[in-house]
Amino acid sequence: MATLYRAASSDSLIVAPIDVLTAIYHRASGQTHLMASPAPEILEALADAPLDAGALLAKLRVDYDLVDADPEALIARLDELVETGLVERR
Amino acid sequence: MGLALDGRLLARALADPASVATLDSAGWQALLTMARAELLSATLAHRLDGIAKPAAAQRFLDDAKASCAQGRLVALWEVEMARRALGDLGVPVVLLKGSAFIAAGLAAGQGRFVGDLDILVPRAELDRVEAALLGAGWEWVKPDPYDDAYYRRWMHELPPLIHRVRDRMIDVHHTILPPTARPTPDADALIADSIALPNGLHMLNSDDMICHAAAHLFADGDLSGGMRNLWDIHRLVDDFGIAGLAERARRHGLAPAVRRALRLSHALYDTQLRDGWARSGSDDDLYLRRLTARDGWGRQTRPVTRLGFYVRSHWLRMPPLMLARHLWTKWRKQAG
Amino acid sequence: MRHVFSVAIGPVGFRLGSDWRGPVAALERLYASYPGPQDGIADFTVRLFADRPWRRIFRPKVMIGGDFVLPEAAPLSLEHGLLAAEMAMNLQMALGQRRYLLLHASAVERNGKALVMTGLSGAGKSTLAALLMTRGWRLMGDEFALLDPATGLIHAFPRLISLKNEAIGVMQGAAPDGMFGPLLADTPKGAIRHLVPDERSVAAMLEPARPALILFPTFGHDAATREVAPSEVFVRLTQASTNYVALAERGFTALTRLVAETPARAIDYPDTESAIAQVEALWASL
């Protein structure tokens, strides 16, 4: 079975778009993350339910009009988010 | 103020919050400074909720609470990250000390500042636990091979690990006292009788938590931080009672340590004990003097007693020959 | 302790104990116009002490202690006792302040609005603030600005202004009637002399101000002004704060609000006169 990715619940995050970067405060860890697209979009796409990488990519294409979405790059972003604890592998 | 200006001022305020009504500004200053030095300022803040106090004292205590709340959040996050790293191993992971108190929502966790994350795992599983932590971003603090060998051979824990991004330490124990210490707690029983928390991690059962706190107080240090340690014990006894404690302490070889800890907790915080427990021991006064050796400037006082306790605590941990060997290796390294 | 001194600097109370009379006498003189801590209860305690009893008299060395300490803090000579006291009080703020977001910045106020200046050491934020004080601005602080998460206002922390090396001569010229501390030569930071904030700055120290401009000054280049992207401001201010992480959600909320509501500029300046002119021009254009 493909790995599922689960994001921190949206009520545990404070999202403050600053300019091209978005500041995100994670209540559970007390950490602040400064993120560029598509990391905030990934968190939002995963907010409702855990998804595997393929389904996430499809959702990002539809919701955010991501035309040149690259599966490998997406995995790399997800790995970064897992390291921060904002996303958990299931 | 009617009391000698030492840690007993703090003990009295914790045990009997209404007693602060008699404090003047100098008394408040001494109390707050001591509480901060003993890492009990947030505990005091919670105890004094709803008690009239000067505005400046209220502000001081509000800040202590906020600081503790942030520390609690970070400590719980370390617990969560350890759970993510170790959850799939099928190994029981027992949270110890402050992390357990706050994860389980115990009264002992109220206002408790939590430092490193301490966990207990079965000795046979140490290698797998170590590998899983290293794979999840923890790294060795001490790359020194002698220290490393020393820890692995003589201590009750792995050499400390620190997370490379979050900069927080984890201590992985396989028992609660060094193997060189004379009492040998039953580590298998500690794990077998631990209690599962909703997140799948475990905590010691209440008797074992008290045994551990007592062991930590006398065998694992020089009594510094002892007021807080005894406060932990006081709250645990308050919450859980001591019905099965005597038998459990005997099983771990910790009956004398637990008895003394309860007597001292009774003397300092008026912990309610059953008949027979509260009878005072021969050198309890000496321990009390050491525990409360703190002045209104936050300084440790009574250095002579302190030295005695330091030598004593080293003695307890390591048989003499081993201590000599340890020091010798250290000296030689410094000379080279 | 033998000698005791208490003072309130802005909203923060300090108690200092010393094994020697000297540092306390200097503090009493320089902080004479300041009130004591509210209710006689200080937020922070600091101690200046001899590590051995004979060190009180024989080649005295001042050790720094207190509620919050750095293990590696080296002792200072007794002649530099005033500096030790100031460093010890700063250290309590840097490590222990939990009510306000602490920004390593100088701040001045005019018409109820605050100008906050931050940057690397040597950027001249302290000297600029002191000079602006002599030209109609109220000095809120030369080292720390306190951002209140509850209100978004800047609170003043007008401790003694710490002048280093060339800045000493500059300020003796600019504030000939100012009250100065003793010249401390050959400290670990070079020559240091303290200047007491003017009467008005001390009298108004409990009045907060709405932040109106954040400035990142850099000394040593031709005069230039540029805008700073909000995300860069955010990052630089987190780096300029010793307690951002410790304030948790309050810190995040306070800082994102500050960045969203407050314009920010970086200025390069060749000399202090140009800097003052640049500041006044920017302020007028707000």
Side-chain angles (χ1 to χ4, degrees):
Chain A
M1 216 184 88
T3 307
L4 282 178
Y5 292 90
R6 194 180 76 149
S9 67
S10 52
D11 62 356
S12 77
L13 301 176
I14 311 178
V15 180
I18 294 189
D19 40 40
V20 292
L21 297 179
T22 299
I24 297 183
Y25 180 77
H26 183 207
R27 288 195 170 101
S29 66
Q31 290 166 0
T32 299
H33 305 279
L34 206 55
M35 293 181 169
S37 183
E41 290 81 2
I42 290 174
L43 290 174
E44 205 171 304
L46 292 173
D48 300 332
L51 297 173
D52 64 27
L56 174 62
L57 195 62
K59 190 165 161 65
L60 288 172
R61 277 205 186 100
V62 175
D63 292 0
Y64 299 99
D65 222 11
L66 233 59
V67 276
D68 57 345
D70 168 3
E72 271 184 42
L74 180 65
I75 295 288
R77 297 290 85 73
L78 281 167
D79 286 346
E80 288 164 10
L81 287 167
V82 167
E83 173 129 11
T84 65
L86 289 168
V87 167
E88 186 184 359
R89 284 193 200 92
R90 303 300 298 272
Chain B
M1 277 176 296
L3 256 185
L5 198 56
D6 64 18
R8 283 175 291 173
L9 173 68
L10 172 59
R12 190 181 63 156
L14 288 169
D16 175 17
S19 69
V20 300
T22 61
L23 294 178
D24 57 11
S25 62
W28 274 105
Q29 183 78 71
L31 172 65
L32 296 173
T33 306
M34 274 180 204
R36 188 178 264 162
E38 294 286 348
L39 297 178
L40 281 164
S41 56
T43 304
L44 182 68
H46 285 283
R47 292 293 289 168
L48 298 187
D49 267 342
I51 302 256
K53 54 183 93 69
Q58 184 66 57
R59 212 173 53 188
F60 184 110
L61 293 168
D62 287 346
D63 290 350
K65 262 192 200 175
S67 178
C68 179
Q70 190 267 343
R72 174 193 171 86
L73 187 147
V74 172
L76 286 174
W77 182 244
E78 283 307 299
V79 168
E80 169 61 14
M81 292 312 266
R83 184 196 67 77
R84 291 185 192 180
L86 303 176
D88 293 338
L89 292 182
V91 172
V93 175
V94 183
L95 300 174
L96 299 174
K97 303 191 224 173
S99 307
F101 303 159
I102 61 171
L106 304 183
Q110 197 176 53
R112 176 70 148 79
F113 287 99
V114 180
D116 306 338
L117 173 58
D118 293 278
I119 62 172
L120 172 73
V121 299
R123 188 165 201 166
E125 302 287 357
L126 277 179
D127 289 347
R128 290 175 65 216
V129 168
E130 185 178 347
L133 291 173
L134 291 173
W138 276 271
E139 299 172 335
W140 299 121
V141 176
K142 304 184 182 187
D144 180 300
Y146 171 76
D147 275 339
D148 193 69
Y150 167 80
Y151 259 92
R152 283 168 196 273
R153 181 142 182 218
W154 300 118
M155 292 301 281
H156 52 307
E157 60 199 25
L158 289 176
L161 291 154
I162 192 159
H163 195 274
R164 66 163 186 265
V165 177
R166 297 192 306 279
D167 205 30
R168 296 279 293 191
M169 304 249 284
I170 186 168
D171 283 324
V172 182
H173 304 246
H174 57 81
T175 183
I176 54 172
L177 279 181
T180 50
R182 259 163 300 163
T184 309
D186 184 342
D188 292 340
L190 290 171
I191 292 170
D193 299 334
S194 65
I195 292 167
L197 296 168
N199 64 1
L201 299 173
H202 290 235
M203 65 171 184
L204 296 176
N205 68 46
S206 60
D207 290 336
D208 284 348
M209 276 193 276
I210 295 171
C211 288
H212 182 207
H216 186 60
L217 182 61
F218 300 117
D220 202 28
D222 67 344
L223 284 189
S224 65
M227 284 196 71
R228 184 179 75 157
N229 211 318
L230 279 174
W231 181 257
D232 288 346
I233 291 172
H234 171 73
R235 294 315 300 257
L236 289 169
V237 170
D238 244 19
D239 264 10
F240 298 105
I242 52 173
L245 183 58
E247 193 193 327
R248 192 70 179 176
R250 266 197 300 280
R251 175 167 188 174
H252 293 308
L254 289 168
V258 168
R259 280 186 175 282
R260 187 185 299 281
L262 290 195
R263 287 197 308 268
L264 295 173
S265 170
H266 174 74
L268 268 185
Y269 302 125
D270 203 20
T271 310
Q272 295 306 301
L273 304 174
R274 289 183 310 181
D275 296 345
W277 283 90
R279 212 178 319 122
S280 73
S282 56
D283 45 6
D284 283 1
D285 285 347
L286 185 65
Y287 280 90
L288 281 171
R289 277 179 56 75
R290 168 70 192 101
L291 283 162
T292 58
R294 180 75 68 184
D295 73 6
W297 287 86
R299 292 177 294 185
Q300 287 216 323
T301 51
R302 301 168 193 151
V304 177
T305 9
R306 215 164 69 221
L307 181 66
F309 273 96
Y310 182 72
V311 171
R312 187 188 158 84
S313 72
H314 250 274
W315 240 208
L316 280 172
R317 273 154 71 132
M318 292 192 270
L321 257 178
M322 240 157 51
L323 176 62
R325 200 173 145 254
H326 176 63
L327 292 175
W328 173 249
T329 314
K330 287 268 177 202
W331 291 327
R332 199 177 47 185
K333 223 168 41 178
Q334 279 158 17
Chain C
M1 300 203 65
R2 295 188 172 203
H3 307 281
V4 180
F5 172 74
S6 292
V7 68
I9 303 176
V12 185
F14 293 92
R15 170 178 64 149
L16 177 135
S18 170
D19 280 347
W20 304 271
R21 172 72 191 143
V24 165
L27 291 165
E28 281 170 353
R29 181 173 85 84
L30 296 170
Y31 281 110
S33 59
Y34 289 63
Q38 186 191 4
D39 301 324
I41 300 170
D43 296 278
F44 299 109
T45 290
V46 301
R47 294 182 279 113
L48 305 182
F49 62 99
D51 61 343
R52 299 277 182 279
W54 63 85
R55 282 282 183 218
R56 266 209 298 269
I57 300 147
F58 179 70
R59 286 190 198 149
K61 283 280 179 204
V62 181
M63 304 288 291
I64 294 174
D67 293 340
F68 299 92
V69 289
L70 283 180
E72 65 268 27
L76 282 96
S77 71
L78 184 54
E79 295 77 61
H80 298 153
L82 176 61
L83 176 63
E86 288 286 308
M87 284 168 61
M89 290 194 282
N90 284 344
L91 191 63
Q92 304 313 304
M93 292 295 281
L95 299 179
Q97 176 56 243
R98 292 292 180 274
R99 203 172 319 140
Y100 304 103
L101 184 74
L102 188 83
L103 297 172
H104 185 220
S106 65
V108 291
E109 175 265 347
R110 202 155 70 183
N111 301 327
K113 290 189 285 187
L115 162 67
V116 176
M117 293 177 279
T118 184
L120 302 174
S121 289
K125 61 182 165 44
S126 193
T127 313
L128 285 180
L131 277 173
L132 288 167
M133 176 185 81
T134 65
R135 305 195 185 192
W137 296 71
R138 167 175 56 121
L139 181 90
M140 298 187 78
D142 80 318
E143 180 78 7
F144 296 132
L146 309 177
L147 177 61
D148 187 344
T151 61
L153 300 179
I154 298 285
H155 285 256
F157 187 71
R159 53 156 220 171
L160 301 180
I161 302 163
S162 173
L163 302 168
K164 296 179 198 76
N165 302 318
E166 298 80 24
I168 299 172
V170 172
M171 286 314 298
Q172 282 169 330
D177 300 329
M179 184 194 270
F180 287 85
L183 178 68
L184 309 174
D186 303 320
T187 79
K189 303 174 187 173
I192 287 187
R193 192 157 189 192
H194 293 94
L195 168 63
V196 182
D198 61 16
E199 200 176 315
R200 160 187 178 218
S201 301
V202 176
M205 71 181 186
L206 289 178
E207 290 169 23
R210 174 75 52 200
L213 177 64
I214 300 166
L215 210 56
F216 298 96
T218 306
F219 169 71
H221 303 277
D222 288 345
T225 301
R226 69 175 177 90
E227 294 206 15
V228 188
S231 54
E232 186 186 340
V233 178
F234 184 83
V235 171
R236 289 177 74 163
L237 291 180
T238 57
Q239 289 166 348
S241 173
T242 54
N243 67 354
Y244 170 74
V245 172
L247 258 64
E249 188 172 331
R250 288 185 299 149
F252 179 85
T253 310
L255 200 57
T256 47
R257 177 177 172 188
L258 178 71
V259 170
E261 294 179 353
T262 319
R265 299 287 185 279
I267 60 167
D268 294 338
Y269 66 95
D271 54 66
T272 48
E273 276 310 316
S274 311
I276 302 280
Q278 286 170 277
V279 166
E280 292 287 1
L282 270 174
W283 192 257
S285 73
L286 287 179

